[in-house]
């Protein structure tokens, strides 16, 4: 097969591993920097042009679109879809997953367990917002944050109020969320490919840190999921319309609650923690499923 890896940097671990896994199975695996592609949006012969030549005869693409490049990246993915090329994740699903609030709204609609969450842009009724999630301690998140930056734990109602006021002064979009104390500073990343969880790891935050992000000094180890965690991960990916997803959840007293669904989950942390060939599983999934014209996103919102 001829499979394009859409990535800005061929030296990234995830990109390298996908290329390696594909080539090991006899596929052609060019890395295409999607920011350098341009497009001919014509109904007769739509095309994507890269390094002066049209990209033709691809069986599949694997989009690895950077969070700050969603607009142009999803446009390139969509163009491949118009051309009938199978995408590991579709443009609409990627766009949907990039908005934390939209993500939670879709999961809520699908009946997936979530931390109690309130949303505000610039509310004057801060006390009301805090009451929605049951008072302090609570977690306040900047909607645009990644890697744990902009995620704050406020122990008391008063502390929460000050933080919300500060964010409000910055004109930021924020989520206010029930603090899942019993998670003990750990979360679980479930890597979903197709309709299965193919690898999972538990990330534990550094001593005294409630955020478990590896970028914040968290440590990862493989973990065996409960059937409920497994089905929650698969249902979440499905609700988002993602074939490949990193579903992050916390263990709460009422079962697993999902924080986020990532459409370009990194391979390094999970492969190293679990010693599972995640890249190989993605390629195998494409071998089984990539057929021209199979692209169809049926989710209406
Ligand atoms: P980011 O997308 O920036 O990583 P997250 O929403 O995933 O932000 O939060 C970062 C970390 O903070 C999570 O991995 C988790 O360990 C912790 N965390 C986030 N929300 C909660 C919560 N409601 N209760 C307890 N811990 C949380």
């Amino acid at each position: 097969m001829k499979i394009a890896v859409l990535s800005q940097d061929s030296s990234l671990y995830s990109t390298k591993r996908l290329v390696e896994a594909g080539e090991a199975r006899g596929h052609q695996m060019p890395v295409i920097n999607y920011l350098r592609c341009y497009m001919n949006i014509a109904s007769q012969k739509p095309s994507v042009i890269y390094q002066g030549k049209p990209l033709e005869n691809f069986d599949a693409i694997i989009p690895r679109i950077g969070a700050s490049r969603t607009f142009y990246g999803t446009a390139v993915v969509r163009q491949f879809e118009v051309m009938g090329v199978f995408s590991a994740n579709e443009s609409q699903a990627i766009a949907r997953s990039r908005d934390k609030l939209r993500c939670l709204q879709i999961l809520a609609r699908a009946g997936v367990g979530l931390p109690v969450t309130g949303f505000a842009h610039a509310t004057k009724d801060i006390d009301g917002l805090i009451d929605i999630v049951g008072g302090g301690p609570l977690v306040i998140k900047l909607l645009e944050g990644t890697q744990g930056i902009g995620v704050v734990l406020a122990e008391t109602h008063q502390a929460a109020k000050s933080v919300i006021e500060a964010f409000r002064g910055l004109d930021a979009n924020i989520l206010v969320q029930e603090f899942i104390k019993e998670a003990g500073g750990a979360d679980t990343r479930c890597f979903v490919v197709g309709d299965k969880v193919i690898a999972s790891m538990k990330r534990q935050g550094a001593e005294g840190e409630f955020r478990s992000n590896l970028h914040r000094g968290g440590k990862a180890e493989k973990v065996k999921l409960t059937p409920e965690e497994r089905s929650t991960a698969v249902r979440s990916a499905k609700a988002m319309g993602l074939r490949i997803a990193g579903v992050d959840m916390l263990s709460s007293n009422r079962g697993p609650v999902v924080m986020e669904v990532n459409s370009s989950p990194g391979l390094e942390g999970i492969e190293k923690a679990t010693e599972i060939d995640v890249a190989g599983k993605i390629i195998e999934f494409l071998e089984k499923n990539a057929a021209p014209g199979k692209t169809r996103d049926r989710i209406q919102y």
Side-chain angles (χ1 to χ4, degrees), residues 100 139 141 145-148 151 177-180 187 210-213 250 259-260:
K100 279 191 192 190
V139 176
K141 299 186 186 184
T146 57
Q147 301 178 353
V151 179
Q177 206 161 62
E178 157 198 21
F179 176 51
I180 309 292
D187 76 349
F210 81 101
R211 296 169 299 178
S212 57
N213 303 71
L250 298 167
M259 284 183 297
E260 205 172 9

Side-chain angles (χ1 to χ4, degrees), residues 13 16 47 98 101 103 125 137 185 218 226 248 250 252 255 259 300:
Y13 179 94
K16 276 198 306 204
S47 60
R98 289 294 157 86
L101 179 63
C103 198
D125 186 13
T226 64
D248 293 341
L250 298 167
S252 83
M259 284 183 297
Q300 300 298 317

Side-chain angles (χ1 to χ4, degrees), residues 100 115-117 138-153 175-189 203-205 209-216 248-250 257 259-260 262:
K100 279 191 192 190
V116 178
T117 304
L138 48 80
V139 176
I140 301 158
K141 299 186 186 184
L142 274 177
L143 228 51
E144 285 78 20
T146 57
Q147 301 178 353
I149 297 164
V151 179
V152 181
L153 173 62
L175 283 180
V176 179
Q177 206 161 62
E178 157 198 21
F179 176 51
I180 309 292
K181 188 165 190 282
E182 61 272 25
D187 76 349
T188 304
R189 156 66 57 101
R203 296 175 296 203
Q204 178 72 54
E209 171 63 77
F210 81 101
R211 296 169 299 178
S212 57
N213 303 71
L214 302 182
H215 290 98
R216 312 245 71 73
D248 293 341
M249 55 182 75
L250 298 167
V257 289
M259 284 183 297
E260 205 172 9
N262 195 317

Side-chain angles (χ1 to χ4, degrees), residues 152-187:
V152 181
L153 173 62
E155 298 280 359
T156 62
H157 188 112
Q158 208 46 45
K161 204 166 167 173
S162 316
V163 176
I164 294 170
E165 272 167 359
F167 281 151
R168 217 179 92 177
L170 299 173
D171 202 24
N173 285 312
I174 53 166
L175 283 180
V176 179
Q177 206 161 62
E178 157 198 21
F179 176 51
I180 309 292
K181 188 165 190 282
E182 61 272 25
D187 76 349

Side-chain angles (χ1 to χ4, degrees), residues 29-96:
M29 301 292 303
V31 176
I32 308 286
N33 181 347
Y34 53 92
L35 291 178
R36 300 267 160 77
C37 290
Y38 56 98
M39 297 169 264
N40 175 359
I41 304 170
S43 54
Q44 287 303 318
K45 200 174 184 302
S47 60
V48 177
I49 296 130
Y50 185 61
Q51 294 175 337
K53 291 193 200 91
L55 295 172
E56 285 170 340
N57 306 321
F58 278 89
D59 298 294
I61 57 171
I62 306 177
R64 303 286 314 174
I65 309 299
S68 60
R69 301 296 184 186
T70 304
F71 176 78
Y72 198 72
T74 53
V76 174
V77 174
R78 202 177 308 118
Q79 183 76 357
F80 276 104
E81 289 163 6
V82 170
M83 291 157 57
V85 179
F86 184 89
S87 181
N89 272 333
E90 293 183 13
S91 55
Q92 289 226 49
I94 299 169
R96 213 181 274 132

